[in-house]
Amino acid sequence: MKLLVTGGAGYVGSVCAARLVEEGHEVVVVDDLSTGHADAVPDGATFVQADLAEAADDLLADGVDGVLHFAAKSLVGESMTDPAKYWDGNVVTSLRLLAAVHRHQVPRLVFSSTAATYGEPEQVPIPESAPTRPTNTYGATKLAIDHAITSYANAHGLAAVSLRYFNVAGAHGRFGERHAVETHLIPLVLQVALEQRPKVSIYGEDWPTEDGTCVRDYIHVTDLADAHLLALKHATAGEHRIYNLGNGTGFSVKQVIDACRLVTGHPIPAELAPRRAGDPATLVAAADRARDELGWKPERPDLETIVADAWRFTQGRTK
Ligand code: UDP
């Protein structure tokens, strides 16, 4: 297929673009490089550096078989202090993209949604049928885009899939996580192991969980990318399907730090810090729908494997 990958110079986008190229698809990556890296675009993909909202029409004019839409602002904390950046950067841009998708009769769309659309869960593991009450602006913008996609599928026959990621981690060969401002737990802990920072903060030890620290469902980025390939294949005209992507197992912040100690052999000093605003205590996916309907099977669900791949990437090794 000929595919447009938006945000393909970012972490998840670059891994998906790499997997699509590996599978023989013709891939065009568009990215404004506001947070991505040009050298993360895989060999074999065509790279266009552009503002997506402005370039969408030109990029789709020649006809494409599908769009994988990753381009987004994705820092929860920043979304609370600078909401305009998220409503414009995520929602307005995506509405422009959707209008162009419709104008140029693109048949399918796979969208990078998030567990943050659910907010504080009533039920764990969280099924796709759970109420969507995001507790932060980032999640609210992703949910708004999900609603717009549903409308386009219903009205115009778009074959659409939204994939709601839980905590993505790990690396795929030379493609991994490198954010200018790092806020995610595993890369931060690994920076301590590399002695780029002295210690890691644990955001609260008084959560209603077994060891008092927050529990998350970590998923390997290669498994995540593979779900996108399956979503492309199974997308059905006129339907907007939503799938959670996680392993269904929760690990606490302390368990993650312990796994990092084991993998790196570094003592990784940790200190207690106040809770971070907007953090739910526990987020774990019920991902049976993706397994049943897409035939998705995570190959790397083990936390130590995920951390080991992230560690290899962090050290600058690709094998
Ligand atoms: N966390 C932490 N210290 C840090 C960064 C994160 O204790 O320096 C916690 C955070 O409160 C959350 C979990 O680790 O409970 C995962 O956070 P991350 O930002 O990686 O992902 P999120 O779940 O927010 O998407």
Side-chain angles (χ1 to χ4, degrees):
M1 286 196 251
K2 184 175 177 194
L3 301 167
L4 178 67
V5 177
T6 79
Y11 172 39
V12 176
S14 66
V15 174
C16 285
R19 286 292 295 119
L20 292 166
V21 170
E22 284 166 21
E23 293 296 313
H25 295 288
E26 186 184 337
V27 174
V28 175
V29 164
V30 57
D31 199 298
D32 64 3
L33 298 185
S34 56
T35 53
H37 307 272
D39 64 0
V41 176
D43 295 337
T46 304
F47 176 47
V48 178
Q49 183 181 350
D51 178 278
L52 177 58
E54 287 168 13
D57 263 309
D58 284 347
L59 290 165
L60 299 177
D62 291 343
V64 306
D65 300 304
V67 173
L68 292 102
H69 181 32
F70 300 97
K73 304 291 170 208
S74 63
L75 298 178
V76 169
E78 184 186 57
S79 79
M80 302 304 283
T81 53
D82 190 358
K85 188 167 174 179
Y86 285 73
W87 288 103
D88 287 340
N90 292 353
V91 177
V92 174
T93 301
S94 298
L95 295 181
R96 295 265 172 78
L97 174 66
L98 274 174
V101 159
H102 174 50
R103 257 194 303 281
H104 298 287
Q105 301 289 303
V106 178
R108 43 183 91 69
L109 174 84
V110 177
F111 176 56
S112 172
S113 187
T114 169
T117 53
Y118 296 115
E120 189 72 53
E122 280 170 7
Q123 182 190 345
V124 179
I126 306 172
E128 290 86 354
S129 56
T132 42
R133 291 185 293 238
T135 52
N136 55 62
T137 302
Y138 165 67
T141 63
K142 288 283 185 172
L143 182 61
I145 299 162
D146 274 340
H147 286 313
I149 293 171
T150 303
S151 305
Y152 274 77
N154 290 342
H156 304 308
L158 180 67
V161 178
S162 287
L163 298 174
R164 293 196 168 151
Y165 312 162
F166 281 64
N167 287 63
V168 189
H172 179 77
R174 71 175 188 85
F175 306 97
E177 197 165 10
R178 19 179 196 139
H179 297 119
V181 183
E182 192 50 75
T183 62
H184 292 115
L185 181 63
I186 291 177
L188 281 174
V189 177
L190 295 180
Q191 286 177 4
V192 180
L194 273 186
E195 314 222 315
Q196 291 173 347
R197 62 177 70 231
K199 54 185 180 270
V200 64
S201 300
I202 297 175
Y203 297 149
E205 267 182 342
D206 56 352
W207 295 92
T209 61
E210 207 158 300
D211 68 16
T213 64
C214 285
V215 169
R216 295 289 182 272
D217 184 341
Y218 294 87
I219 168 172
H220 196 292
V221 70
T222 309
D223 286 334
L224 189 87
D226 286 343
H228 290 72
L229 299 180
L230 292 166
L232 261 183
K233 200 162 108 188
H234 289 270
T236 304
E239 289 183 21
H240 178 205
R241 299 202 194 164
I242 295 178
Y243 297 103
N244 288 341
L245 296 180
N247 285 309
T249 311
F251 293 97
S252 71
V253 172
K254 284 185 176 169
Q255 285 176 315
V256 170
I257 296 171
D258 280 342
C260 293
R261 287 179 177 135
L262 200 76
V263 166
T264 64
H266 191 283
I268 307 182
E271 70 172 5
L272 180 60
R275 287 183 174 196
R276 184 173 67 178
D279 269 347
T282 302
L283 288 178
V284 175
D288 313 271
R289 191 186 280 181
R291 290 165 190 267
D292 295 347
E293 294 184 15
L294 300 178
W296 181 61
K297 190 177 168 296
E299 303 283 346
R300 299 159 192 82
D302 177 60
L303 182 62
E304 274 164 37
T305 306
I306 295 173
V307 169
D309 283 356
W311 178 231
R312 181 184 41 66
F313 175 80
T314 308
Q315 290 174 300
R317 294 190 287 120
T318 58
K319 292 272 181 259

